[in-house]
Amino acid sequence: MPIMAVVTLVAKIFAGLFVLLFIYQVIVRVLAKTLRRYIAVPAPAFLGVLLDSRFRRKIQPPSDIVRRSGIKQGMRVVDLGCGSGTFTLEMAKHVGENGEVFAIDIQPKMLQQLESKLQKEENRAIKKLIKVIEGSAYKIPLEDESIDVCCMISVLQEIPDRERALCEVRRILKPTGVLAVTEFIIDPDYPLSTTTINLAMKAGFVVDEMLGNFWNYTVRFRKGALTQ
Ligand SMILES: C[S@@+](CC[C@H](N)C(=O)[O-])C[C@H]1O[C@@H](n2cnc3c(N)ncnc32)[C@H](O)[C@@H]1O
């Protein structure tokens, strides 16, 4: 096969994939936004299985997201809107026995899925490092300035009053604390990184580092000086 034909074929495949992704985003986005206009619902709990599917772990490996979020040994970390806990267990492995992970979600049925993972023999060692808490991002049941890293993975756009939630995150972070927001294009609520950055800046954060790529990014923020 001549080289030009191969190049054309590859270009066509990429263009086709891009168009499919675009159509998916438009359809799912319109559906999600229309639904949310009438009922402010979080991702239903039965999606917990999909959120922790083998496919997702392959395209968005938990170890990558945890590394990007800046989680290290001994840290106190919050997985805010943890869902079924796809990333929570990996966070616990990274903080180690001197650290702590608070897995917080508003839906008890999501948390039940995380709890049943924690009951497995293979997770016995990390189970004690994870505190599973039913709670809202509007009123996080943790003390002021007590947390090193707060991760929000595919969560922020699901929260109706995002600024309020981010101010609450700001409250629980230590002065050196980090807010790590991760978004992935397959999520119907996926926002551009500029949208995420503008939201966080409104709540008094400054960008520390941006990692990943257009479809799958993590923005790490630090607490900036409050102007008001
Ligand atoms: C799309 S899921 C993502 C779950 C998980 N972070 C992941 O990436 O697998 C969003 C999660 O955010 C939770 N959530 C939505 N609004 C919330 C709020 N106000 N406070 C706490 N959790 C919330 C939902 O219950 C849901 O489990």
Side-chain angles (χ1 to χ4, degrees):
M1 210 188 228
I3 188 95
M4 269 321 283
V6 175
V7 172
T8 314
L9 182 67
V10 172
K12 278 185 180 163
I13 291 172
F14 271 101
L17 285 175
F18 190 78
V19 170
L20 280 179
L21 197 60
F22 183 75
I23 294 170
Y24 165 86
Q25 266 290 324
V26 171
I27 294 173
V28 177
R29 228 165 224 273
V30 169
L31 280 177
K33 285 227 157 50
T34 314
L35 193 70
R36 290 243 166 84
R37 189 169 297 168
Y38 300 104
I39 20 171
V41 280
F46 66 79
L47 288 182
V49 178
L50 277 184
L51 288 171
D52 203 1
S53 65
R54 207 182 279 182
F55 174 67
R56 185 178 186 208
R57 282 175 170 272
K58 199 157 183 89
I59 53 175
Q60 202 179 23
S63 56
D64 283 6
I65 304 306
V66 167
R67 186 180 34 79
R68 280 192 207 165
S69 305
I71 295 173
K72 301 204 172 69
Q73 288 274 321
M75 283 185 165
R76 300 184 89 223
V77 172
V78 171
D79 185 1
L80 188 55
C82 62
S84 57
T86 310
F87 300 93
T88 317
L89 278 74
E90 194 65 31
M91 289 176 194
K93 285 179 196 157
H94 274 69
V95 299
E97 58 186 23
N98 294 322
E100 224 172 346
V101 177
F102 300 92
I104 303 177
D105 202 285
I106 205 166
Q107 293 190 84
K109 284 192 175 158
M110 281 287 194
L111 295 174
Q112 279 162 18
Q113 296 174 51
L114 169 58
E115 295 272 18
S116 59
K117 283 174 202 165
L118 293 176
Q119 297 312 319
K120 291 188 181 161
E121 184 56 32
E122 71 222 47
N123 295 324
R124 219 171 74 156
I126 54 168
K127 188 181 160 188
K128 60 179 188 298
L129 310 177
I130 301 172
K131 304 250 175 330
V132 180
I133 302 171
E134 185 189 331
S136 164
Y138 295 148
K139 203 171 187 302
I140 304 172
L142 294 170
E143 281 168 29
D144 295 359
E145 303 194 345
S146 60
I147 295 299
D148 294 292
V149 179
C150 177
C151 297
M152 296 183 83
I153 305 164
S154 299
V155 174
L156 190 53
Q157 294 298 317
E158 237 179 64
I159 301 174
D161 191 344
R162 295 168 197 122
E163 195 173 339
R164 182 174 163 201
L166 288 173
C167 289
E168 183 63 353
V169 170
R170 199 176 188 286
R171 178 188 69 74
I172 60 160
L173 284 178
K174 291 178 182 175
T176 54
V178 167
L179 159 67
V181 181
T182 298
E183 300 289 354
F184 193 49
I185 201 157
I186 283 185
D187 182 353
D189 292 316
Y190 166 86
L192 293 175
S193 56
T194 46
T195 307
T196 300
I197 290 171
N198 287 339
L199 274 170
M201 285 175 74
K202 262 195 191 166
F205 287 95
V206 289
V207 176
D208 183 35
E209 204 172 354
M210 168 125 183
L211 299 131
N213 50 45
F214 176 81
W215 347 87
N216 178 9
Y217 67 82
T218 300
V219 192
R220 281 210 306 246
F221 297 94
R222 290 203 177 272
K223 288 165 85 164
L226 272 185
T227 47
Q228 38 181 322

